[in-house]
Amino acid sequence: MRRQWFFLYNLFVFLEKSKFLKNLLTLILLLLLFSCSKDKKKLSDNTVDSLAIYIKKADTLNDGAKDLFYRKAYNVAVNRPNDSITRSGLTSIMLGFYRMKNWEYFNKSSNLLYKLAQESHDSIQLASTYRYKANYYKNSLINDSAFVYYLKAEKIYKNLRDSLNLGNILNNKSIVQYNVGDYIGADKSLNQAYQYLKNCNDKHKIYESLNMMGIISNETKDYQKAIDYYQKALKIIRENKIKTPLFEEASTLNNLGYNYQISGHYREAIKNYHLALKEKTLLKEAPDLYSMLIDNLAYSKFKINQNEGLPELFYKALDIREQMNATTVIVLSKIHLSEYYFEKKDTTLSKRFANEALLLAKQTKIPRDILASLKQASNVDQQSASLYSKDYFRITDSLQEVERKSQEKFTRMQLETDEIKKENNILEERNRDILNYFIGTVLFGMFLFFARAQRTKNRELVLKQAQQKANEDIYKLIISQQSKLEEGRVLEKTRIAKEIHDGILGRLFGLRLSMDGLNSRVDEESIEERFRYLNELKLIEQDLREISHELSREKFDLINNFVAIINNLLDEQIKINTAQLSANIGEDIDWDLLSNTTKINLYRILQESLQNINKYAHATKISVEFRKDKKGNLVLNIEDDGDGFDSDKKSKGIGLQNIVDRTHESEGTIDIKAAKGSGVRITVTVPLQNKTIKI
């Protein structure tokens, strides 16, 4: 194609004086251009067809073949232009991988869709990406990440005024808040969801909100309120004849029965369990729900001494749960059997089931299961009751502390989001004021113009020119102010993101590794270490608070005592990683010559590099060196003999990109040498006499 164009261009130059030939050449060029466009259109149409065919084919196959065709569709989408067809196809591909739980390709397709949606300002697809990423993190019990993505999706759906999707997002956000014990926040989200959903046609979503409201009310011990919610949920199910593989009616009847059970109304509980068990296909199609119903039924009957069918119902529920390997509810079954035999004065069986429940709960490391098992064990084993009680209170305090921190974190996230919205509203209001001022100025100028227009034509011309100049200046002022505001917001968000990623997350990772190593140790030194790490957690909490107010205690320490802070970081590295660490900090370096910004950046670069080594490298030797080169520059060398990575890959992680950005911010240069199996060497060179302070 290039040769054809080159030939035609030379021909055009040669024959440019001939009008006839020039017209003929123009016609040929048009035909050739049309031909090329047709070929491109045909190629584009082919990729559209193959993308649609692969997705349609995948939807009709079983999981193995489905995965293959979704991958083919993904490979087609990667090479297609960023248009609505590609983004729509990627949404289907992302959902396909999500339903198959192929998390590798789910993340690939969602990340690509996120990139394309941002580039094209496609709010709908961007919100869809946030939503399913949040669902992924929610199902993986990574509650903080799920909460962040739900907040992002919620913001977009609010702007789009999409009530159905907004209600669905708020429903799911409430589950994340419920998981961390933030019942007040969960109840607030659910009430907002219900307001958005109550007038929509998707009755199942309304049912989900009401059912979850009942669960939250159970947790807050507002049992009558929970009953009201469950009754409303049942009414929606029955009136709209909702029937899915989730067995919503039986599930809600079980929740209602459990509400009566924990409030001491066992006969009402039994009545609801029997109603739910009328669904004959439960055992085959939903054995988990069936086992829950018969276990709850057995427990309520036991509580009012209705011994018919006991303890067989307990054992039947336990057998189903063991076949499903459902550890948490197996623990519950054994606790119920322990209570039953303790009441029947069979202390041997009671202790046996209590101990089995406690052993299984400790294996799964689920705090609430351990607490329930410890409580039952202390009731049936009087000799060891004090020991069990001590463990119970210790775990309770720890669990409450974790839940409190999670709730505070979620509250801060929500507060920061609300503050951003408030700031945006203030900016919009300021822009409106500027616009009103502009309009008022224009009107006033026009009034003066018409008032004085009668004097002379020359005066009229002068005033007209002055008015136009004023309009241009005001318009430029508005554009300039808006650009500066937007630029400031972007820079601040980038800075805070780097501070959190490089500072807070790195320190949290180090603390987690250190505290993992102390789990099995109970000596005095370990206890002192734990207190030290708890104090470090408090410092991290303080850092987060200071970051939100544009302060940083760590920055102050780092700027004024750089070498001591570096040594502390290296000491922590020795504690959490068995690799041999050699460090050399040149004594001939005048640290006062370095700007505060450069000190902070060098510390973050070293911190991020050590964190990457700890996570991925499997290194046996690590070398860190600060020295001056022949030109008087400061050189930081970080080297390890670990697994390395492919430095030719186009995509870089956020951590590595932050290292590069921080080097450039310090007006320095960076050299990264890495290869698979050959370790990594990072060399950062910055000028020593750099007194620029960036804020």
Side-chain angles (χ1 to χ4, degrees):
M1 181 62 66
R2 290 181 179 176
R3 290 180 180 178
Q4 290 173 316
W5 283 110
F6 183 72
F7 167 76
L8 291 171
Y9 173 76
N10 288 330
L11 183 61
F12 178 80
V13 173
F14 179 73
L15 301 173
E16 61 180 349
K17 294 184 180 180
S18 172
K19 186 175 181 181
F20 172 76
L21 291 177
K22 282 171 66 175
N23 291 337
L24 180 61
L25 181 58
T26 302
L27 179 61
I28 294 172
L29 287 172
L30 290 173
L31 290 172
L32 185 58
L33 182 62
F34 176 76
S35 175
C36 292
S37 300
K38 195 172 182 181
D39 290 341
K40 289 180 181 179
K41 185 176 184 300
K42 189 179 294 183
L43 179 62
S44 177
D45 289 344
N46 287 339
T47 58
V48 171
D49 291 343
S50 58
L51 181 64
I53 288 169
Y54 286 145
I55 293 173
K56 187 175 180 181
K57 186 73 174 175
D59 291 339
T60 62
L61 298 171
N62 57 33
D63 281 353
K66 187 189 294 285
D67 183 77
L68 175 63
F69 277 93
Y70 273 129
R71 291 192 190 198
K72 288 183 177 181
Y74 171 76
N75 291 331
V76 172
V78 167
N79 297 308
R80 272 191 47 76
N82 183 4
D83 55 25
S84 60
I85 296 174
T86 303
R87 295 193 298 274
S88 178
L90 271 172
T91 302
S92 300
I93 294 166
M94 177 184 69
L95 293 179
F97 286 130
Y98 178 84
R99 293 185 182 113
M100 290 186 297
K101 298 183 179 179
N102 184 339
W103 303 127
E104 178 189 357
Y105 271 86
F106 167 76
N107 284 319
K108 283 184 178 181
S109 55
S110 62
N111 289 338
L112 178 59
L113 179 58
Y114 170 77
K115 176 186 174 184
L116 298 182
Q118 275 203 322
E119 289 176 355
S120 58
H121 305 289
D122 189 339
S123 298
I124 294 175
Q125 302 296 355
L126 191 59
S128 182
T129 308
Y130 287 147
R131 173 181 175 179
Y132 282 96
K133 273 188 172 290
N135 290 345
Y136 163 71
Y137 285 120
K138 183 191 74 173
N139 295 335
S140 303
L141 298 180
I142 307 176
N143 293 310
D144 52 353
S145 296
F147 189 77
V148 168
Y149 279 109
Y150 280 134
L151 282 178
K152 291 181 177 181
E154 178 187 347
K155 180 180 178 181
I156 294 177
Y157 284 130
K158 273 187 179 178
N159 290 334
L160 294 173
R161 297 183 179 179
D162 186 340
S163 298
L164 180 59
N165 279 316
L166 183 55
N168 190 39
I169 290 294
L170 289 166
N171 271 346
N172 283 300
K173 189 175 83 168
S174 73
I175 296 173
V176 175
Q177 292 169 302
Y178 170 79
N179 289 340
V180 300
D182 183 10
Y183 303 131
I184 295 175
D187 186 63
K188 181 180 177 182
S189 296
L190 286 168
N191 277 287
Q192 289 176 343
Y194 183 73
Q195 293 304 315
Y196 285 114
L197 294 170
K198 64 181 181 180
N199 295 320
C200 74
N201 294 324
D202 192 341
K203 302 302 179 184
H204 193 273
K205 298 298 181 187
I206 302 174
Y207 155 76
E208 288 178 349
S209 294
L210 292 169
N211 188 56
M212 195 65 196
M213 285 179 185
I215 293 172
I216 297 296
S217 298
N218 271 352
E219 293 293 340
T220 56
K221 302 188 186 308
D222 193 342
Y223 300 122
Q224 185 55 51
K225 191 175 180 181
I227 291 171
D228 293 340
Y229 284 134
Y230 288 137
Q231 294 289 4
K232 289 179 180 178
L234 283 171
K235 183 179 179 182
I236 287 177
I237 293 169
R238 289 164 178 166
E239 287 182 352
N240 296 279
K241 299 180 180 179
I242 297 174
K243 192 173 181 63
T244 74
L246 298 175
F247 292 97
E248 285 84 355
E249 184 171 359
S251 178
T252 307
L253 286 168
N254 176 67
N255 292 342
L256 186 56
Y258 181 72
N259 180 78
Y260 284 121
Q261 180 175 299
I262 61 177
S263 59
H265 299 84
Y266 298 109
R267 296 187 186 279
E268 286 296 324
I270 291 170
K271 185 187 301 183
N272 282 281
Y273 294 143
H274 279 304
L275 284 173
L277 288 167
K278 286 183 178 180
E279 180 59 64
K280 301 302 181 184
T281 60
L282 270 178
L283 177 58
K284 180 180 178 181
E285 297 182 23
D288 52 342
L289 177 57
Y290 180 80
S291 65
M292 189 182 302
L293 281 163
I294 61 173
D295 186 67
N296 285 337
L297 174 62
Y299 190 79
S300 290
K301 292 178 73 173
F302 151 65
K303 282 295 186 177
I304 57 174
N305 292 320
Q306 283 188 11
N307 294 317
E308 181 184 355
L310 301 182
E312 289 79 13
L313 280 174
F314 283 125
Y315 281 109
K316 186 175 181 181
L318 177 60
D319 181 58
I320 294 171
R321 289 167 172 180
E322 287 178 337
Q323 290 178 30
M324 296 173 60
N325 196 27
T327 310
T328 297
V329 284
I330 291 173
V331 170
L332 182 61
S333 284
K334 290 180 182 290
I335 291 173
H336 285 173
L337 281 165
S338 175
E339 287 187 53
Y340 174 80
Y341 283 114
F342 184 73
E343 185 70 22
K344 300 302 178 185
K345 311 300 182 185
D346 190 340
T347 55
T348 303
L349 278 176
S350 180
K351 287 181 180 179
R352 178 193 135 195
F353 281 113
N355 289 330
E356 287 178 359
L358 181 57
L359 179 63
L360 186 59
K362 286 182 176 179
Q363 290 174 356
T364 60
K365 298 180 181 179
I366 298 175
R368 296 190 187 279
D369 290 350
I370 297 174
L371 289 175
S373 303
L374 284 170
K375 184 177 180 180
Q376 180 60 19
S378 66
N379 289 336
V380 302
D381 189 352
Q382 296 299 321
Q383 293 180 348
S384 303
S386 61
L387 181 62
Y388 291 138
S389 297
K390 183 179 178 181
D391 285 346
Y392 180 88
F393 290 119
R394 177 180 58 80
I395 295 173
T396 299
D397 292 342
S398 176
L399 186 60
Q400 288 176 347
E401 180 67 16
V402 170
E403 288 182 347
R404 182 184 63 79
K405 288 182 178 179
S406 296
Q407 292 169 17
E408 289 176 352
K409 185 176 182 181
F410 282 13
T411 302
R412 283 197 303 273
M413 289 179 183
Q414 188 72 55
L415 181 62
E416 288 169 3
T417 302
D418 293 340
E419 286 177 350
I420 291 172
K421 291 178 183 176
K422 186 176 179 181
E423 289 175 3
N424 288 336
N425 291 335
I426 292 172
L427 288 174
E428 289 177 1
E429 187 175 346
R430 287 178 180 174
N431 289 337
R432 282 196 300 270
D433 290 342
I434 293 172
L435 184 60
N436 290 336
Y437 173 76
F438 169 73
I439 294 172
T441 303
V442 172
L443 292 175
F444 181 70
M446 290 176 65
F447 172 77
L448 292 177
F449 174 77
F450 286 114
R452 298 177 182 179
Q454 303 302 321
R455 295 186 180 181
T456 62
K457 290 185 178 181
N458 290 335
R459 181 78 171 174
E460 180 183 1
L461 181 60
V462 171
L463 286 175
K464 186 175 182 180
Q465 291 174 344
Q467 184 62 37
Q468 289 174 345
K469 182 67 168 58
N471 291 348
E472 290 175 3
D473 290 342
I474 294 171
Y475 181 76
K476 289 177 182 178
L477 178 64
I478 294 172
I479 297 301
S480 175
Q481 182 170 352
Q482 289 177 335
S483 298
K484 288 179 180 179
L485 288 172
E486 185 61 26
E487 181 182 354
R489 287 174 57 205
V490 171
L491 288 174
E492 184 61 11
K493 286 166 68 178
T494 302
R495 182 186 71 79
I496 292 175
K498 287 181 180 178
E499 282 297 302
I500 291 175
H501 181 275
D502 295 345
I504 305 305
L505 293 182
R507 290 165 64 190
L508 283 174
F509 177 76
L511 280 174
R512 182 173 66 78
L513 290 180
S514 299
M515 295 189 80
D516 283 345
L518 295 174
N519 281 343
S520 58
R521 293 164 53 190
V522 294
D523 54 293
E524 289 295 323
E525 184 181 350
S526 299
I527 293 172
E528 292 178 1
E529 284 289 299
R530 287 190 185 95
F531 278 117
R532 191 169 70 80
Y533 291 137
L534 285 173
N535 288 330
E536 182 65 17
L537 282 172
K538 291 178 181 177
L539 287 176
I540 292 173
E541 177 186 356
Q542 182 65 23
D543 278 352
L544 281 170
R545 187 177 295 109
E546 290 174 348
I547 285 173
S548 69
H549 292 84
E550 298 187 351
L551 298 172
S552 176
R553 177 176 175 177
E554 183 180 337
K555 285 184 181 179
F556 179 81
D557 293 337
L558 182 57
I559 291 165
N560 293 280
N561 199 6
F562 184 71
V563 176
I565 293 298
I566 291 295
N567 285 327
N568 286 340
L569 178 61
L570 296 175
D571 289 342
E572 287 298 320
Q573 173 65 20
I574 293 171
K575 290 180 181 180
I576 66 176
N577 195 313
T578 58
Q580 180 182 350
L581 174 66
S582 62
N584 180 25
I585 302 177
E587 297 181 356
D588 60 338
I589 300 171
D590 186 355
W591 298 102
D592 291 335
L593 295 176
L594 277 181
S595 72
N596 297 342
T597 300
T598 302
K599 288 180 182 178
I600 294 169
N601 286 337
L602 288 174
Y603 176 82
R604 295 301 187 210
I605 289 170
L606 176 57
Q607 187 181 51
E608 177 65 23
S609 299
L610 292 176
Q611 182 180 340
N612 288 339
I613 292 170
N614 294 336
K615 283 184 177 180
Y616 312 115
H618 305 102
T620 59
K621 292 181 181 179
I622 305 170
S623 172
V624 177
E625 179 187 27
F626 286 92
R627 62 178 174 82
K628 282 173 63 176
D629 65 7
K630 294 180 181 179
K631 297 181 179 179
N633 295 320
L634 176 64
V635 179
L636 167 60
N637 280 328
I638 308 164
E639 187 173 359
D640 69 82
D641 62 350
D643 296 342
F645 60 87
D646 186 0
S647 61
D648 293 331
K649 289 180 68 175
K650 291 184 179 179
S651 60
K652 298 289 192 297
I654 186 173
L656 194 58
Q657 186 60 48
N658 284 348
I659 289 175
V660 175
D661 291 345
R662 287 182 181 276
T663 302
H664 293 163
E665 187 179 4
S666 300
E667 300 179 2
T669 60
I670 183 168
D671 180 31
I672 301 175
K673 294 181 179 178
K676 282 285 187 178
S678 300
V680 178
R681 179 183 179 88
I682 298 176
T683 303
V684 176
T685 305
V686 297
L688 258 178
Q689 295 181 336
N690 181 1
K691 289 297 183 180
T692 303
I693 299 177
K694 297 181 180 180
I695 299 177

